[in-house]
Amino acid sequence: MTDDLVIESLALTKQFRGGVRAVDTVSFEVQRGSVCGLLGPNGAGKTTTLRMLVGLVRPTSGSARLLDDHVDPGSRVLAKVGTMIEHAEFVPHLSGLTNLRLYWESAGGDLGTANLDRALGIAGLGDAVHRKVKTYSQGMRQRLGIARALLGAPQVLVLDEPTNGLDPAEMRDVRTLLRRVSEEGVTVLLSSHLLGEVEQVCDQLVVMDRGRVVRIGTVAELTRAAASMYLEVDDIPRARVVLAAHVGVRTVAGEGPGLAVELDGISRADVVRTLVEQGFAVDTVTSRHRLEDVFLGLIEPDVS
Amino acid sequence: MSLALFRTEMFKQWRRPRTYVALGVLVLIPLIFTIALKSNPPSPRTADAEDAYAYLATKTGLYLGVASLFFLSRFLLVVVVAVFAGDAIASEASWGNLRAMLVRPITRSRLLTVKLASAVLLAVVAATLVPLTGLALGGVAFGWHPLEIPGAPSESSAHILASLALATVYVLWSLSPVIAFGFMASTMTDTPAGAIFSAIGIYIVSQVLDGISALGRIRSTFPTHHFDAWTSMFIRGTGPTTDMLRGALLVIPYTVVMLAVAWWWFNRKDILS
């Protein structure tokens, strides 16, 4: 691997007892300093993949590498990794501050190297950090969990649905934080099913469905491959016929007062030019490079 | 074993209300017993061991330590050490904190070693707390002096204390299968109560089977068969007996096997909680 490859999932596969194959030969790489989103519906295998990457779950086959080290339970490389898997949970009868302290000191870390003040600033809990964690709301726990993952200035962050339980303002803060740490050189791998979130924060996307990787690319690459548009013209029925026969138009469907058009290899300008040449008065044209459309096109509908 | 990890683990344990409650009960029962003996002294004519210990405790406070160990080791102390062992891993899993511990550069064997060490340390505290509480309360209520009963051989204070120390070690050692089983179960479940009750259950089942005389010689292989062997040092005034040696050796294979299973299981376990 090159020095720039920080996270490597090498054909990771996990088959649980009972035959359930939660993750099936999942391979992807994440470059240093990038924010990679693991995107997929519930049950896609995102969390199991993350668990294998940090040594919580043993792969049935394949392997995980972080910072050029093979990952096993308790690997030394985990000292350079901040992790939050699923909901952030803590020892309930201890305060948030004590939880952070014990977490850091348990592996022999000196509290002076933990960047505790920065972590507490990120948690933003104020005096509540001295209260027992069992009195915290889900959002407070989640913020403390992110702060815990950031203790000691890790080189890699592995976060499973980090904005779960947060209000919109807190979600925005987390997105800003992730961009900021990536600019500082931290590599971030996060899972989410919030399409808007990954669209805003991720450089790279790994789309998973039913345990498999179905697409890898940047947000721009993924949305470009499935460009679509919405337009309004003066004669909808005739425009529908014209567009349906046009080369490079995949589908045409009525939507409100206009038409939703999915393109396949042609530009929106080509469509507008054709309509004008055919004598249509084109009123409204809206671009639709939405990740949601791509995502829904990639995953298989659940028929169960 | 990592001292840093052990220190953080003990900090967590000492801050848990269940630790205080469990140890508090082990102090409370001897206190109630002392008050009862003081207000209603038993008759010298005794038919069984329970009454004999109660009577002797009124003759010298040193025997209140022996009596406390006798009464509490038979069930309550078993429950308390089962709580400490069964709670060790399962409570972390039930809180969801186990995965946070295991994404640190801490091997699972290291975590198990520290968790077992902390459970054993708490069990040691619990087991020593019982006779020490009894001795302290006995000294206040009945005084510390040699056992002098007309028509019976006297027993020096030093002999009583030495025998009591040995008895405490023996009781703790005899409880090692309960600790090992509770610990093993704790690695297999996310429900602490399940691990605790299974450890208590294995003790009860062993005791019940041991009480079925029709089972014959096979009873001597049950881990609790020689559990009360230490009482001979007091009732008959002997030193350590052959039965105590047998009992001490008998629990070793049970303990080793159950701890080996715990290590084997936990090192292969997928952490999903």
Side-chain angles (χ1 to χ4, degrees), chain B residues 82-83 85-95 98 182 184-199 269 273:
Chain B
V83 166
D87 214 34
I89 303 287
S91 62
E92 298 282 1
S94 71
W95 297 330
L98 187 58
M184 179 186 75
S186 191
T187 64
M188 298 176 172
T189 178
D190 297 345
T191 311
I196 293 165
F197 287 126
S198 65
K269 184 178 183 178
S273 56

Side-chain angles (χ1 to χ4, degrees), chain A residues 3-159:
Chain A
D3 285 347
D4 282 343
L5 278 186
V6 171
I7 300 172
E8 291 177 279
S9 171
L10 304 168
L12 280 175
T13 299
K14 182 63 189 181
Q15 183 157 340
F16 288 107
R17 273 178 289 178
V20 177
R21 190 172 276 248
V23 175
D24 193 356
T25 54
V26 166
S27 295
F28 63 89
E29 297 166 343
V30 185
Q31 303 273 334
R32 185 179 303 280
S34 63
V35 182
C36 176
L38 209 51
L39 188 62
N42 290 330
K46 305 185 297 291
T47 299
T48 304
T49 300
L50 294 184
R51 285 177 190 270
M52 285 192 281
L53 282 168
V54 295
L56 289 176
V57 166
R58 288 181 182 276
T60 306
S61 62
S63 63
R65 293 180 73 81
L66 295 173
L67 296 163
D68 211 13
D69 272 330
H70 180 75
V71 179
D72 274 322
S75 292
R76 286 181 179 276
V77 71
L78 293 172
K80 302 170 187 169
V81 181
T83 305
M84 186 175 77
I85 299 289
E86 286 191 304
H87 303 296
E89 299 294 354
F90 300 86
V91 181
H93 62 274
L94 299 178
S95 72
L97 182 61
T98 304
N99 265 283
L100 293 185
R101 185 171 65 76
L102 293 186
Y103 171 82
W104 187 250
E105 290 179 344
S106 65
D110 174 12
L111 203 58
T113 64
N115 287 333
L116 189 61
D117 290 341
R118 179 185 187 227
L120 291 176
I122 289 162
L125 294 173
D127 287 341
V129 79
H130 299 291
R131 275 182 12 217
K132 289 180 179 177
V133 167
K134 64 184 175 188
T135 66
Y136 286 13
S137 67
Q138 178 59 37
M140 292 166 79
R141 286 174 195 232
Q142 201 73 355
R143 274 151 50 203
L144 192 65
I146 293 170
R148 181 170 63 183
L150 285 164
L151 281 177
Q155 295 178 33
V156 183
L157 277 179
V158 177
L159 306 173

